Amino acid sequence: MIEFKNVSKKFQDKYILRNFNLKVQEGSKTLIFGKSGIGKTTIFRLLLGFIKPDEGQLLYKNEELNGKNVWDLRRDAVYIGQELDIADGTVREIIRTILNYKINLKKSFNESELLKLFDFFELHENILDKDFQSLSGGEKQRVLISIFTFLNKKLYLLDEITSSLDREMKNKVIEYLLSKKEWTLIAISHDQEWLNKEGLNIIEMGGNNNGTYN
């Protein structure tokens, strides 16, 4: 589904990624694990077409990623990043804004379905009418996880999405995400709770960012 072929990326003449190879099969679950500053988030920025590789090829569904087919990937994907303050307004207003994006117009707002997710992630239904900016970091993460899993996309790109959660909730979120057999998932995290999960392909990136991963 996704393949990095000898991809390198430099910033200010310094390699952030060098000769990076990765194959991600449809339906697989991949964890990219390692310390800060070694290029993990750069992988997502390349994949979403926000930056271009200096060397190598990046493929999606066996075609080299370009300005045209990157929109196919973005339609198929959900990206949940480290930035939690994505918008102002109530949770309900933010949901409607997200569903009004062109790539999400086919998904109708089924409040009862969303509330089931809120309940599962231990959020009270009255959070819908709360100001998003007033929520704690953990509440914001759980709200965003609920909204974006509600969209039921094919590809999930998750950047440190459990960082503000307690240990019990980290495990609950991780196990929920890994249970979705039809989703292709790539996660970036420092959280130890991701490690040793069954069915998870773990990529531990080192300081030189060289290597091949399958």
Side-chain angles (χ1 to χ4, degrees):
M1 185 179 190
I2 293 167
E3 185 171 5
F4 288 76
K5 287 186 173 182
N6 294 313
V7 170
S8 296
K9 182 63 186 176
K10 291 187 290 186
F11 290 102
Q12 298 179 344
D13 296 324
K14 180 181 178 181
Y15 279 102
I16 302 299
L17 285 177
R18 191 167 189 177
N19 298 326
F20 180 75
N21 293 278
L22 173 66
K23 288 183 180 180
V24 177
Q25 302 295 333
E26 188 170 357
S28 65
K29 310 293 187 284
T30 301
L31 171 68
I32 301 173
F33 189 82
K35 63 183 182 180
S36 298
I38 60 171
K40 301 190 304 299
T41 299
T42 300
I43 292 169
F44 282 173
R45 296 183 67 203
L46 287 162
L47 187 56
L48 289 165
F50 298 143
I51 56 175
K52 294 181 179 180
D54 294 315
E55 302 161 19
Q57 290 181 303
L58 180 52
L59 285 76
Y60 181 61
K61 295 183 177 178
N62 299 315
E63 292 185 7
E64 187 166 6
L65 209 61
N66 55 47
K68 184 178 180 179
N69 65 11
V70 73
W71 289 102
D72 295 330
L73 184 150
R74 290 177 185 177
R75 274 192 296 271
D76 291 344
V78 160
Y79 169 68
I80 308 178
Q82 298 180 50
E83 175 56 54
L84 297 178
D85 295 327
I86 62 168
D88 294 320
T90 67
V91 172
R92 190 188 301 274
E93 289 167 342
I94 289 171
I95 292 167
R96 293 202 179 277
T97 298
I98 291 170
L99 291 176
N100 280 327
Y101 293 159
K102 187 176 180 180
I103 58 175
N104 296 328
L105 286 176
K106 292 182 179 179
K107 182 69 174 180
S108 59
F109 181 29
N110 184 326
E111 185 169 314
S112 62
E113 183 182 340
L114 185 60
L115 288 177
K116 287 180 183 177
L117 286 167
F118 279 2
D119 182 61
F120 181 79
F121 293 121
E122 300 177 23
L123 295 165
H124 195 276
E125 64 181 63
N126 68 8
I127 206 167
L128 278 171
D129 297 308
K130 288 188 176 181
D131 183 78
F132 185 74
Q133 299 297 339
S134 72
L135 305 180
S136 69
E139 287 173 324
K140 288 177 180 176
Q141 281 194 322
R142 284 179 284 152
V143 164
L144 294 178
I145 291 165
S146 299
I147 294 171
F148 287 115
T149 56
F150 168 77
L151 294 175
N152 195 29
K153 295 292 186 108
K154 297 177 181 178
L155 173 63
Y156 280 79
L157 307 175
L158 313 173
D159 192 352
E160 298 288 1
I161 67 158
T162 56
S163 59
S164 296
L165 307 179
D166 62 35
R167 185 175 182 181
E168 183 178 350
M169 183 54 64
K170 286 180 198 284
N171 281 302
K172 192 170 190 177
V173 167
I174 294 165
E175 287 164 10
Y176 175 82
L177 294 168
L178 296 183
S179 73
K180 297 295 184 178
K181 304 299 183 185
E182 69 276 20
W183 293 353
T184 304
L185 185 150
I186 307 175
I188 288 170
S189 184
H190 294 95
D191 288 338
Q192 296 289 323
E193 285 79 6
W194 283 89
L195 301 177
N196 302 316
K197 296 293 184 183
E198 188 175 345
L200 184 60
N201 179 31
I202 299 174
I203 296 167
E204 189 163 357
M205 291 180 64
N208 60 9
N209 300 320
N210 297 325
T212 299
Y213 309 96
N214 295 289

